[in-house]
Structure formats: structure tokens, C-alpha cells
């Protein structure tokens, strides 16, 4: 639209003519939006708000009297507030390039003043401190002209031909060189160790390869030897099997022959021995029966002889009472009892003789010897005399 003006985002539009601006400024400030400007009656100018740069190269003398060539770069811009824009517009609107020149001069003066209060060591080792002090001292002056500093960078510090900085850095250089040499030696040693490790690994690999090859060769040789021995081994195995079969056959033949010998010789001999034993036992049993029969016959003959002699024995016993003085207390009954006692005594003698004969037969003495003994005992009984010539019978 005719007469409508809009400033760029990094510009401030200054409208002069007509009413005065804020705070009695000779122009009005418009930023961020457009404004209708009457042509002919109003005049529009634009002030940049973008970042500007100023480079400072200055020779400064330190507190130690050593001259240093310092190079710094300042980054600045016009402030965003209306007051800063008005201050910068009144000073630089017609020649905005002067902002960099004036800023460089301002910072050069403050840089000389601050470096003059510091030593070379402080300046070299504490550049950030130097930049911060310069910014602090220049902030007020920069605000008066409507500028703000974003950063100050000390790019280089050089002492020329004095060699002070080099001398100051010599110990550090020597230490660095020493560390570099140590690092180089360590690197060389590490490289040598790596080469040795690689050589050992290669030798170990070669050794393992040789071992594997030797094992393969030995295995091939064993396989070949085994294959060469397969025929003789098979023949030997076959012969061994034949020998084993022949041995087993011989054992079986020996067992069969042993069984035949047992059947032909041992069994008949055992049968003959059993027959002879049975015959001998039968003969012994027959002889025993005959002996028992003979002994039984002798006892029967002896008993008969004793029975035949019993009346005579009783008679002899009665004869022994003939001369005895006997008192008979109960008459005929007493005489009967005396006769019965004599008979009983004869029977007792007969039993005693028989028992003696039986016992002596078991001791191996013949019946004739027993009979003689019995007769001797009988005769001894006849010769006994009565003790007092009295017989009391109850």
C-alpha cells in the first residue's frame, strides 16, 4: 500500500517528522510491525540490529614492562530496547560503519589499561579473565552509545623478539617433549612387543601346523601299516580259530574216551566190588546165624542137663539138713515150707547158672567153661554148714 512501511526483522524503522518520539527523541522507533508513513511529510530511515564485528590489534605493555602484541575480536550489536536504538540512531544512523571503528577504539583503550595491570604469565594463562575484565570496564561506555557486547575473544598474544613467552614455555616444552619422547619410546616398545607377539604367534602357528601335519602323517602311516597287516592278521586269526576248534575237538574226544573208560572199566569194577561185598556180608550173616543157632543149641542142652540134675541138687541140699538140729515150729506145715524152700533154692541156683552162662557167652567163653563154673559153685554150696544148727521158720 502506498505509504505503508515495514522494517526487516533485524532492523529498526526510524520515522522523523511530525510528532517526536519517546523521551523527546527526534524520531519514532518502530520494530516488528509496519507503519503508515505519509509521504513528503515523513522521512523513514532504517538502523541495523544485526550482529557486528570489530577487530582490535594493539601493542600493550604489561606490568613487567614487556610489550605484547594482542589481537582480539569483539562481537556487538545495537540494543533491542528503544533507549539503546535511539542512542545508536542519533550517533550512527548516517554512518553505521562507524560503530565497528568506535567499538574497536574503545576496547583497545580498555585492553591496554587492563594488560598494563597484569603480568605476562597471567595474561597467557588467564585469557578468559582478561576478556571478562575488559567487558566489565567497557560495558558502561558501550551502553551510552546504544551498543551491547556479546563476546570478546583474545585471539593471539605475541611478545615479538623478546622471547619471554618462549622462555616461559620452555619448561613446559621440555616436559612435553620428554612426555613425547616417553610416549614415543612406549609406542616403540609396544610396537616391538606387538611385533614379537606376532612373531611368536606366527611361530606357534607354524609349530601347531607342523604338529598337525606330523599327526596326519603318522595317522596315514598307521592306516597304511594296518592295511598292510590286515592280510597276515586275518590269516593268523583264521589259524587261531582252527587251533581253537581242534583243541575243543580234542577235549571233547578226551572227555568221550574218559566216559568210555568209566563205562568199560570203572563201572564193571565197582559192580564186581559191590557184588563181592554183598556176598561177603551174606556169608558173614550166614555164619553169625549159624553161630547163634549153635550157641542156642548148647544152651538148650545145658538147660536140659541142669533140669536133669535138679532133683539130685535138691536131694543133696536135703541131705545137708539130715544131720542138722532143726526145730519145726508149726508141724507139718513147717516141713512143707522147708521142702518148698529147698526146691526154690534149687531153682534159684539154676537161674543163676543160666545168667552166668549167658554173661560169659557175651564175654567170649564157651558153654563148657560156664558149666564147669556152675558145678563148682553148686559143690561149694553143698559143703556149707549151718551157722547154728537152728532153722526158724515163721
Amino acid at each position: 500500500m502506498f505509504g505503508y512501511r515495514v522494517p526487516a526483522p533485524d532492523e529498526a524503522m526510524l520515522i522523523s517528522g511530525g510528532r517526536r518520539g519517546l523521551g523527546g527523541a527526534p524520531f519514532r522507533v518502530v520494530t516488528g510491525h509496519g507503519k503508515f508513513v505519509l509521504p513528503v511529510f515523513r522521512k523513514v530511515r532504517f538502523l541495523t540490529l544485526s550482529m557486528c564485528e570489530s577487530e582490535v590489534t594493539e601493542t600493550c605493555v604489561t606490568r613487567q614492562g614487556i610489550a605484547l602484541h594482542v589481537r582480539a575480536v569483539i562481537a556487538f550489536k545495537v540494543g533491542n530496547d528503544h533507549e539503546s536504538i535511539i542512542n545508536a540512531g542519533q550517533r550512527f544512523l548516517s554512518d553505521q560503519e562507524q560503530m565497528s571503528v568506535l567499538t574497536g577504539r574503545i576496547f583497545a583503550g580498555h585492553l591496554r589499561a587492563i594488560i598494563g595491570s597484569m603480568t605476562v604469565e597471567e595474561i597467557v594463562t588467564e585469557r578468559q579473565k582478561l576478556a571478562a575484565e575488559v567487558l566489565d570496564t567497557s560495558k558502561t561506555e558501550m551502553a551510552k552509545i546504544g551498543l551491547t557486547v556479546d563476546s570478546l575473544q583474545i585471539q593471539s598474544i605475541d611478545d615479538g623478539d623478546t622471547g619471554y613467552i618462549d622462555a616461559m614455555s620452555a619448561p613446559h616444552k621440555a616436559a612435553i617433549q620428554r612426555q613425547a619422547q616417553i610416549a614415543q619410546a612406549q609406542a616403540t616398545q609396544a610396537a616391538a612387543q606387538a611385533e614379537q607377539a606376532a612373531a611368536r604367534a606366527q611361530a606357534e602357528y607354524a609349530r601347531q601346523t607342523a604338529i598337525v601335519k606330523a599327526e596326519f602323517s603318522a595317522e596315514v602311516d598307521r592306516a597304511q601299516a594296518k592295511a598292510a597287516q590286515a592280510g597276515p592278521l586275518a590269516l593268523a586269526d583264521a589259524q587261531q580259530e582252527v587251533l581253537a576248534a581242534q583243541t575243543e575237538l580234542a577235549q571233547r574226544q578226551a572227555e568221550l574216551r574218559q566216559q568210555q573208560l568209566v563205562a568199560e572199566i570203572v563201572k564193571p569194577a565197582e559192580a564186581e566190588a559191590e557184588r563181592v561185598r554183598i556176598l561177603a556180608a551174606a556169608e558173614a550173616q550166614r555164619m553169625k546165624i549159624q553161630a547163634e543157632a549153635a550157641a542156642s543149641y548148647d544152651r538148650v542142652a545145658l538147660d536140659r542137663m541142669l533140669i536133669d540134675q535138679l532133683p539130685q541138687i535138691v536131694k543133696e541140699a536135703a541131705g545137708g539138713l539130715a544131720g542138722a538140729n532143726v526145730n519145726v515150729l508149726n508141724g507139718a506145715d513147717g516141713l512143707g515150707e522147708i521142702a518148698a524152700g529147698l526146691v526154690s533154692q534149687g531153682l534159684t541156683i539154676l537161674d543163676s547158672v543160666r545168667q552166668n552162662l549167658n554173661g560169659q557167652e557175651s564175654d567170649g567163653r564157651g558153654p563148657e567153661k560156664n558149666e564147669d563154673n556152675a558145678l563148682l559153685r553148686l559143690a561149694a554150696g553143698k559143703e556149707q554148714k549151718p551157722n547154728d544148727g537152728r532153722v526158724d521158720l515163721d
Side-chain angles (χ1 to χ4, degrees):
M1 174 182 268
F2 181 73
Y4 190 80
R5 307 294 296 274
V6 180
D10 59 346
E11 290 180 340
M13 186 171 63
L14 307 179
I15 303 173
S16 60
R19 293 183 303 173
R20 287 183 173 272
L22 183 65
F27 47 81
R28 288 180 291 169
V29 179
V30 178
T31 58
H33 59 87
K35 191 72 175 178
F36 184 78
V37 180
L38 291 176
V40 180
F41 298 99
R42 304 285 187 271
K43 188 174 181 179
V44 178
R45 301 287 296 274
F46 294 95
L47 178 65
T48 182
L49 301 178
S50 62
M51 182 67 65
C52 299
E53 181 182 302
S54 177
E55 184 175 343
V56 177
T57 303
E58 191 69 21
T59 300
C60 306
V61 180
T62 66
R63 189 176 61 186
Q64 299 160 314
I66 298 173
L68 298 177
H69 302 286
V70 181
R71 183 174 176 270
V73 176
I74 305 102
F76 68 94
K77 66 183 289 297
V78 178
N80 293 328
D81 59 291
H82 282 234
E83 184 179 359
S84 296
I85 293 173
I86 290 171
N87 291 335
Q90 289 176 342
R91 290 171 177 80
F92 304 111
L93 185 59
S94 60
D95 188 5
Q96 298 186 26
E97 296 294 332
Q98 287 299 316
M99 287 190 295
S100 297
V101 177
L102 182 60
T103 299
R105 290 176 181 176
I106 292 173
F107 272 88
H110 288 290
L111 192 63
R112 284 195 301 270
I114 293 173
I115 288 177
S117 63
M118 299 176 66
T119 63
V120 178
E121 289 79 5
E122 294 174 346
I123 294 169
V124 172
T125 58
E126 300 179 1
R127 291 188 182 188
Q128 191 63 31
K129 179 181 178 181
L130 173 62
E133 289 183 2
V134 173
L135 285 174
D136 290 338
T137 55
S138 63
K139 186 180 295 183
T140 303
E141 293 183 34
M142 295 293 288
K144 288 180 180 180
I145 61 178
L147 301 178
T148 59
V149 179
D150 289 340
S151 67
L152 170 63
Q153 296 293 330
I154 306 297
Q155 292 187 337
S156 64
I157 298 174
D158 185 13
D159 62 350
D161 296 334
T162 59
Y164 187 90
I165 296 177
D166 292 338
M168 185 179 63
S169 62
H172 300 287
K173 288 181 179 179
I176 292 173
Q177 289 177 355
R178 183 169 61 254
Q179 292 177 358
Q181 292 175 355
I182 292 172
Q184 182 65 34
Q186 291 177 349
T188 304
Q189 183 179 1
Q193 291 177 352
E195 291 179 358
Q196 292 175 0
R200 287 195 298 270
Q202 187 175 1
E204 180 65 20
Y205 179 77
R207 187 180 70 84
Q208 293 291 339
T209 303
I211 291 173
V212 172
K213 287 182 178 179
E215 290 178 353
F216 286 163
S217 178
E219 186 175 356
V220 171
D221 293 341
R222 286 195 298 270
Q224 291 177 352
K226 187 175 181 180
Q229 294 175 357
L233 287 175
L235 180 59
D237 291 339
Q239 292 177 353
Q240 187 174 2
E241 290 179 358
V242 171
L243 291 174
Q246 291 177 353
T247 302
E248 184 177 0
L249 179 59
Q251 290 178 353
R252 291 183 178 179
Q253 289 178 352
E255 292 175 356
L256 180 59
R257 180 57 181 166
Q258 183 178 5
Q259 293 176 0
Q260 290 177 354
L261 290 174
V262 169
E264 293 175 358
I265 298 174
V266 176
K267 292 298 182 181
E270 290 179 353
E272 180 64 21
E274 183 67 18
R275 187 183 67 82
V276 172
R277 187 184 64 79
I278 292 172
L279 292 176
E283 182 65 20
Q285 185 67 23
R286 186 183 64 83
M287 293 177 67
K288 180 179 180 183
I289 294 171
Q290 289 178 355
E292 290 178 354
S296 177
Y297 177 79
D298 292 337
R299 284 196 300 273
V300 170
L302 179 60
D303 291 341
R304 182 173 297 277
M305 182 184 68
L306 290 174
I307 292 171
D308 292 341
Q309 296 294 329
L310 180 60
Q312 183 65 29
I313 294 172
V314 174
K315 182 180 178 181
E316 293 293 334
L321 295 175
N325 187 11
V326 179
N327 293 324
V328 179
L329 299 178
N330 53 354
D333 293 332
L335 291 174
E337 289 177 359
I338 291 173
L342 293 173
V343 174
S344 176
Q345 185 178 2
L347 293 175
T348 302
I349 294 171
L350 179 60
D351 290 335
S352 176
V353 171
R354 287 179 177 176
Q355 291 177 1
N356 289 329
L357 291 175
N358 291 331
Q360 291 171 359
E361 286 177 359
S362 61
D363 293 337
R365 290 179 291 182
E368 295 81 1
K369 186 66 174 179
N370 293 333
E371 182 180 356
D372 294 340
N373 292 332
L375 292 176
L376 291 173
R377 285 194 299 272
L378 183 57
K382 290 173 63 176
E383 292 177 357
Q384 290 180 354
K385 294 180 180 181
N387 52 2
D388 56 356
R390 295 178 61 89
V391 177
D392 294 332
L393 298 177
D394 293 335

